[in-house]
Amino acid sequence: MTIKTTNLGFPRLGHKREWKKAIESYWNNKITKDELDNTLQQLHRSNLVLQQNHNLDSVPVGDFSLYDHILDTSLLFNIIPTRFQDRDVDDDLLFDIARGNKSHVASALVKWFNTNYHYIVPEWDNVTPRVNHNRLLERFNEAKALNVNAHPVIVGPITFVALSKGGDQSFEDKVRTLLPLYVEVLQSLIQAGAELIQIDEPILVTDQAAELEAITREAYEAFAEADVAKALVIQTYFERANVKFLSALPVKGLGLDFVHDHGYNLQQIENGDFDRSKTLFAGIIDGRNVWAADVEAKKALIEKLSQYSDDLYINPSSSLLHVPVSLEDETLEDDIRDGLSFATEKLETLDALKRAVNDNDTEAYDRLHAQYTRFQNQAFKNLEYDFESVRAERASAFSERKVVQQQRLNLPDLPTTTIGSFPQSPEVRKQRADWKNKRISDEAYRQFVQDEIKRWIEIQEDIGLDVLVHGEFERNDMVEFFGEKLDGFLVTKFGWVQSYGSRAVKPPIIYGDVKWTAPLTIDETVYAQSLTDKPVKGMLTGPVTILNWSFERVDIPRSTVQDQIALAINEEVLALEKAGIQVIQVDEPALREGLPLRKEYHEDYLAKAVHSFKLATSSVTDETQIHTHMCYSQFGQIIHAIHDLDADVISIETSRSHGDLIKDFEDIDYDLGIGLGVYDIHSPRIPTEDEITTAIERGLQQIDRSLFWVNPDCGLKTRKEDEVKAALTVLVNSARKLRQEAVETN
């Protein structure tokens, strides 16, 4: 049997973030809409040609977006928030829904399953679904004009509705409302020549899948009746699916993940659950991590799968959206480079496997096999760790710690603070780049950072914040910064991936044992504290987030790597405490993001996450106040684990969820300090005093006032200086107003 290769999606960012730079230039009025369109069209075309040149039998189109593919689907079907209706459906509307504007808040931003990508939540209130501008058809025709053999990609109706919120219709009725619209779009694609259409249904690998089977069957039978199911390939990824159920649906093919499925998908196929008359799209190359594949093992898997399918494609386990574009231009030692594979290199691996299996052409296969073997023989792990010697519980209960901390800090009612970072202005980024490229001296850069810290300490004092931060001007990213300073991490030059919208991060790569060897944050934090009598928070990233926002090694258990990082962070926590820092924040925004999709794995994951956080933070004295921070909502299912962290204060994003998180506190007696983010930092709009006051009062309905803090919902590095000053002034004024009302009432 001849196998074929395909891809599920390619990174939008561009090798050197051309996508991000163009979009942000448009937002900042530096380029016109025509210039934006031309730049993105060129990038899209180059992505198509690059994939075609890697000998793919079919190249995806529809994966390229101006912001987010779920938001694209919302606009395609006119699922537009009420506050943004009665406008032309164009790119400016898309950007306003995603980012908010001066008049309206943005739609909620939520993580995409258990990845580090975030999508814009569709809102069904008062919508009139219809097909708008069919950009997917345009993308497909664009690929045809380039002689690229392409297949359209669209999010399926079950997943789209499952990721939505609002509206009076039932889940099933929402799907039924969309079905004729999907049919219209799918028919247009088939008429244009599409022989395969990838319809993504990752919701069908979650625990929710079983209860969705009836409506899933109804939907795909409707597609069959409309004569469009013949081209459909249901793609699942990130976990195991019910192979027998999906194989019975009247579609052309089925895509399965054979990397992150815990072995269950292969087991089902070996049990005979796959209908071999259908096309099998086998996700055998890890689409979410950067390690080179064991081509020998992958070749054996292909040979095994060939026994159960008469028509077999091999592809990455998911869209390559989650990995950097290419190793090209990276200056890495060969012993490390041998073990790495970014998006482009993963396509090379697919081609090498296809050539080896189909034509017995093993030149590329043999080279990849040799590189993989060399990397595996490197001795990157040989350290010994004494995990048991570090305390994993605070010395006293929170009720006792709270008293001595208040005596030391003397904070007012409803204390105000920020999450940590302040604007990374063009000048800040330029100075850091000049320093890294040795265009300015270490002393000149250090002086610049100190000047920024001093300026922002003064700004915070003028605004009236109660607990200050140094601003993190020396940091490029909250994880990459620590990856540059801890042993066992590799930081790349162009290893960018999309987090949300134009937000790009460069995850470090954990290739060896992690070790703290020198202070990481002491100089800047101690300097900031020397400038003010108010407490300045030490700002660290926690072990769970560092692991979840890095490309982790896969040769030892994740929990072992996590605890290694925890010991390193513990060293820094103790160093800050010794230097006189009274408040230390250890952020864990990614704790929820790493939660496995299947509930059967939740308890183990959360227990290990809580243990690692406490390993990093519990060695301090009672007087030292430990803060943490989480963002991107959907915390209800882990609210008890959040409490178990035993942080003295936690700040949680709630503004984009429009207060939904407050309901989660009805099920728990939360008796630790907490700040529910009272305004959305992802939007350029300035909140009003009434909005912030309402948010605080809503939180006080469930949280004891003596535990309540007032803060933005996330760090402020992406905002402009004038926006930050204005918004924080409103925040402080709102807190002061409520304090005064409380005094007058009493």
Side-chain angles (χ1 to χ4, degrees), residues 657-672:
S657 60
H658 307 304
D660 291 347
L661 183 63
I662 304 298
K663 301 173 185 176
D664 297 323
F665 287 90
E666 297 174 358
D667 300 323
I668 185 172
D669 181 17
Y670 200 90
D671 54 1
L672 301 166

Side-chain angles (χ1 to χ4, degrees), residues 94 99 122 178 262 278 297 333 354 377 394 682 722:
L94 179 144
R99 305 173 68 232
L178 289 176
H262 302 276
K278 288 183 166 56
E333 296 180 6
K354 181 168 72 170
N377 289 333
R394 294 292 292 271
H682 303 91
D722 58 346

